[in-house]
Amino acid sequence: MYRHCFWVVLAGGVVAGCGGDPFEAIPSEESAEQAGKEGKPQGSNGEERAGDLGDGGAAGEENPGGTSGGGVSGGEEVRGSLGEGGEGGISGASTTEQGGAGQGGGGGKSGGNPGSCEPGTFACDGKHLLQCLGDPPGFVPKLDCRGELCDPQQGACLSCIPGEPLGCLDEFTRIVCTAQGTSDGLEPCSAEAPFCDPQAKGVCRACLQDKHCDELPTTGYCDKPVCKDYFCVLGIDVGKPYPELGHPPCNTMVCDVDEEGNPTLSYFPNPKNVPIDDPDGCIQSSCDGGALIQTKLPVGTFCKVGDQPGKCDQAGVCQICLPGESTCQGNKLATCEEQGGKAQWKVMSCNILSEGSAPACDEAACVGVTSIALGDQHTCAILATKRVVCWGDNKYGQSGAAKELPTLLTPTLVQGMEGALQLALGSRHTCALLEDGTVRCWGDNSRGQLGVSYVGSSNIPVLVEELTDVTFLAAGGRTTCAITSDNKLSCWGDGEHGQTFVASGSAGFLSKPTEATGAPSFTKIALGRRHGCGLAKDGTVHCWGDSAFTAGAKFPSTKVGLTGVYTELDVGDFHSCARSPHSFFCWGAPGAKLGSILPQGQFTTVSLLASSGTQLALGANTTCQITKQSGQDVVQCAGLNDHGQLGGPIQNSQNPVVSILPGASKLAVGGDHACAFGPWDPAKPAAGGSALFCWGANGSGQLGTGHLLDATTPQKVSW
């Protein structure tokens, strides 16, 4: 347990005590002096107390094992000090004489002058705080600071020295000792030394790391701000590549220091197989121990010219294109030409470049058109490359483009179609006979007219199921038929009126090709909206479907009442026509326009159209052919002309429109429009060149002129 000691100055002396009665009276100076001389112990009733040291007294006996007591020495200007451990007392202040050793004490420490301190002031003796008290005044112990700091200015024991840094709160704030000696003070570091150093217990530094010096201005390329001895200075960025022009590409100039520490530059060979940047990307460069190795990439290797794709040429330069090569940009031919050392594309319309004879661009060349076919409101053509282009109505994908494009104003390539030999177009679907004998169809499939049962409408050509070795193809309305190599007929699609030749069941349509059992051996067939007709091998004409359009022929098939051998046959929506070398007959429903009103179920001789014509083509309510006039092939048409489909500015014609498109060829007629090839310059048919012309209705862009206006005269297709 702690032993408490007290000192109190009274008029008659000092009261002191430790462990026992704290107020046992200490004798006056005379008795104390006498006691000191006799060596008697003075103090409290406590155990093991040593005697004070008096003036000239001998050392008293020391009580073993205890803490010394204390007494006050006698004599003027001499003050006894407390014995410590039985050896001596605590020194007084303002000592003037050496005290003698009293009995029980060791050597005495210096005495003090009672008048040498200012009452109420403080002093420190090691870890003890003393206060000036009494009359005369003198320093007496007040507190034992026990490990803390003794501060005579504040008269207190402190845990730290005021203002002393103790640690860091964060990167910019330090912990300091407060003026009251507590360790909870905070102080921001200054602008000159903003960083708190935790290793130095909160000393603020100008820098601690190199990154703290980034804002130090540099004066040379190789300068590098660094933190040295807690200050920002300019160092040298050793190893930094120096951007000097002309140095060898496989040796890098870098910032360095010489033996004396001064900045200098040095060359270092690049290690093996380090690639070197090539701005064109056409030369593969690398270093091998300082030696440059360069290899040109193969001609045609992809590279970039700015933001544009390019190709490497023979010189290892990236060009937009390679001189002499060609490509298609839509239906325009782009050829690469070199100008001033740079290759550039030169783009020209194939239609203009070939004067119509090769209007389409495919496989990097201008190509011609081998055949055309028309539907109700769309048009398709086969190119010399056996690929297919279409334009016009595309609401059901019948023109082969995505259905988000409901109208195509100019010819557009049908993706996935190659090897086409023949086209057949219905109202809203398209089919193509391929060179391998199969058939692919696209567009509307609401009545099974695409020949597959697993899709709705499709803009992607689908393979017709269970059908091979096809030699001829026909489509009309929502029905499709094909002739195979063994002269057998198969049909699919809408059969509500018997137009599929065979019964179509309760659904009224066939989703897969079905063989027409008992049908003659046909060489050609044609389909209308609700009927069909075929030309047999013996030259006879047979029809099936709605009897209103078949001159009395009924389902499944009837040989129509025409005598002779017929060589040409076509079918419109509501009428049919056949031609032999000596006669030209048409038949159909009342109201069908052929230049005259057709009586139902009767054949009408078409005297208004020349019987010597060729390429018979029928539309919804129009009959056209190519015939000779003044030694030239011209187009003649008769019938309805509400959209200009006759090719001339007249109303429903009782007479054929003559002299349309001199030099015409490859005639085809659709719903209310027609197309044919004619001379590039119709005013100069002998000048050469051939262009595709279309006329009539154009509400869905089926004329391919780039707009939606009807045309009463032939207009060039805009390729």
Side-chain angles (χ1 to χ4, degrees):
M1 60 179 293
Y2 292 108
R3 185 180 302 275
H4 301 280
C5 297
F6 304 90
W7 298 265
V8 181
V9 178
L10 301 176
V14 178
V15 178
C18 288
D21 185 357
F23 295 103
E24 179 182 352
I26 296 178
S28 64
E29 292 183 8
E30 291 81 358
S31 60
E33 180 180 357
Q34 181 64 31
K37 291 179 181 180
E38 295 175 357
K40 295 180 180 180
Q42 301 293 327
S44 68
N45 297 328
E47 297 177 354
E48 303 173 349
R49 182 177 308 278
D52 291 334
L53 300 180
D55 182 15
E61 294 181 2
E62 181 179 4
N63 295 321
T67 303
S68 62
V72 180
S73 64
E76 186 178 357
E77 299 182 355
V78 177
R79 183 171 65 87
S81 59
L82 296 176
E84 183 176 357
E87 293 187 0
I90 299 175
S91 63
S94 303
T95 60
T96 58
E97 293 185 18
Q98 182 72 26
Q103 183 180 359
K109 296 184 181 179
S110 61
N113 183 355
S116 62
C117 64
E118 183 72 24
T121 60
F122 297 91
C124 291
D125 183 5
K127 297 294 184 179
H128 296 88
L129 177 68
L130 307 179
Q131 186 176 18
C132 185
L133 298 171
D135 185 15
F139 281 105
V140 296
K142 180 182 180 182
L143 290 174
D144 183 356
C145 287
R146 297 187 180 277
E148 294 187 335
L149 300 175
C150 179
D151 186 357
Q153 300 300 321
Q154 298 191 44
C157 296
L158 307 180
S159 62
C160 57
I161 300 175
E164 177 185 24
L166 302 176
C168 296
L169 176 67
D170 55 34
E171 187 177 6
F172 306 105
T173 308
R174 66 179 182 174
I175 303 170
V176 296
C177 185
T178 64
Q180 292 74 33
T182 61
S183 58
D184 56 356
L186 298 179
E187 179 179 272
C189 291
S190 66
E192 293 76 15
F195 302 103
C196 184
D197 185 358
Q199 302 298 324
K201 296 185 178 180
V203 175
C204 291
R205 311 285 195 186
C207 63
L208 296 175
Q209 305 175 46
D210 287 350
K211 67 179 182 179
H212 295 159
C213 302
D214 289 344
E215 296 183 1
L216 183 67
T218 59
T219 58
Y221 179 80
C222 291
D223 286 346
K224 178 182 179 182
V226 296
C227 184
K228 184 177 182 181
D229 297 332
Y230 307 114
F231 289 95
C232 290
V233 297
L234 289 179
I236 299 173
D237 196 354
V238 176
K240 179 181 180 182
Y242 194 80
E244 180 180 332
L245 299 177
H247 67 271
C250 284
N251 291 273
T252 302
M253 179 178 283
V254 299
C255 299
D256 202 358
V257 293
D258 59 19
E259 294 180 355
E260 298 179 357
N262 298 317
T264 185
L265 297 174
S266 300
Y267 281 111
F268 289 93
N270 291 343
K272 187 175 182 179
N273 295 329
V274 174
I276 298 176
D277 290 337
D278 174 25
D280 287 337
C282 291
I283 296 180
Q284 190 176 54
S285 302
S286 62
C287 296
D288 187 357
L292 176 64
I293 301 174
Q294 289 185 313
T295 305
K296 295 178 183 178
L297 296 180
V299 174
T301 300
F302 172 81
C303 57
K304 296 193 75 173
V305 181
D307 295 333
Q308 300 184 40
K311 297 179 180 179
C312 295
D313 65 9
Q314 293 181 343
V317 178
C318 187
Q319 301 278 13
I320 291 293
C321 55
L322 298 179
E325 72 172 336
S326 300
T327 188
C328 291
Q329 296 182 4
N331 278 313
K332 294 179 172 60
L333 178 66
T335 57
C336 187
E337 299 180 356
E338 186 174 352
Q339 298 178 356
K342 291 187 177 181
Q344 299 290 336
W345 287 113
K346 182 180 180 181
V347 182
M348 291 189 65
S349 166
C350 283
N351 201 25
I352 296 175
L353 190 64
S354 66
E355 293 188 342
S357 60
C361 191
D362 190 29
E363 297 180 358
C366 292
V367 297
V369 176
T370 59
S371 65
I372 54 176
L374 279 62
D376 271 9
Q377 298 181 51
H378 72 294
T379 308
C380 295
I382 298 178
L383 306 179
T385 55
K386 298 181 181 179
R387 304 235 282 176
V388 177
V389 293
C390 294
W391 59 95
D393 188 16
N394 190 56
K395 295 183 183 66
Y396 296 88
Q398 63 264 48
S399 291
K403 284 176 279 188
E404 290 77 14
L405 301 172
T407 300
L408 303 179
L409 299 180
T410 56
T412 303
L413 195 67
V414 177
Q415 299 298 323
M417 274 304 307
E418 297 181 356
L421 298 179
Q422 183 201 350
L423 293 172
L425 276 62
S427 295
R428 301 183 303 201
H429 76 290
T430 306
C431 293
L433 169 61
L434 308 184
E435 53 190 355
D436 64 358
T438 61
V439 175
R440 288 184 179 270
C441 298
W442 58 97
D444 181 26
N445 194 38
S446 59
R447 301 291 285 177
Q449 57 264 49
L450 300 188
V452 293
S453 57
Y454 56 86
V455 297
S457 59
S458 173
N459 65 300
I460 299 173
V462 295
L463 181 67
V464 176
E465 298 176 346
E466 302 175 9
L467 185 66
T468 57
D469 299 324
V470 176
T471 58
F472 191 86
L473 194 62
R478 295 182 290 180
T479 309
T480 313
C481 293
I483 300 174
T484 57
S485 58
D486 53 4
N487 297 115
K488 292 183 178 180
L489 176 68
S490 293
C491 295
W492 61 94
D494 189 12
E496 185 176 359
H497 300 278
Q499 59 267 49
T500 53
F501 199 96
V502 296
S504 56
S506 59
F509 66 91
L510 302 171
S511 59
K512 294 183 179 181
T514 303
E515 184 178 337
T517 305
S521 295
F522 291 120
T523 59
K524 181 180 180 180
I525 53 176
L527 297 177
R529 195 172 295 274
R530 294 162 60 178
H531 76 294
C533 293
L535 192 62
K537 293 180 67 175
D538 60 4
T540 57
V541 177
H542 299 252
C543 292
W544 59 94
D546 193 329
S547 60
F549 312 130
T550 58
K554 296 182 179 180
F555 171 80
S557 174
T558 301
K559 179 180 178 180
V560 299
L562 295 175
T563 59
V565 176
Y566 286 80
T567 57
E568 198 169 1
L569 170 74
D570 202 12
V571 171
D573 276 0
F574 308 111
H575 69 294
S576 307
C577 294
R579 188 194 339 254
S580 72
H582 307 290
S583 59
F584 184 10
F585 286 98
C586 291
W587 62 97
K593 301 295 182 178
L594 298 170
S596 62
I597 302 301
L598 294 178
Q600 182 175 354
Q602 298 182 14
F603 296 101
T604 299
T605 300
V606 185
S607 58
L608 297 178
L609 295 176
S611 60
S612 59
T614 59
Q615 296 186 34
L616 182 63
L618 276 63
N621 294 287
T622 309
T623 303
C624 298
Q625 67 172 357
I626 291 179
T627 188
K628 290 286 186 181
Q629 185 177 17
S630 300
Q632 290 186 328
D633 287 335
V634 296
V635 175
Q636 289 184 334
C637 291
L640 198 64
N641 195 40
D642 53 343
H643 293 283
Q645 58 265 48
L646 298 185
I650 59 174
Q651 293 303 314
N652 301 338
S653 173
Q654 292 292 328
N655 296 295
V657 177
V658 297
S659 301
I660 297 176
L661 211 60
S665 63
K666 300 176 183 176
L667 172 67
V669 180
D672 293 313
H673 72 295
C675 297
F677 274 91
W680 176 254
D681 185 353
K684 300 176 181 179
S690 177
L692 179 60
F693 293 83
C694 293
W695 60 94
N698 195 35
S700 295
Q702 58 263 47
L703 301 187
T705 53
H707 55 75
L708 298 175
L709 300 177
D710 292 352
T712 58
T713 58
Q715 303 294 315
K716 286 181 182 178
V717 172
S718 179
W719 293 87

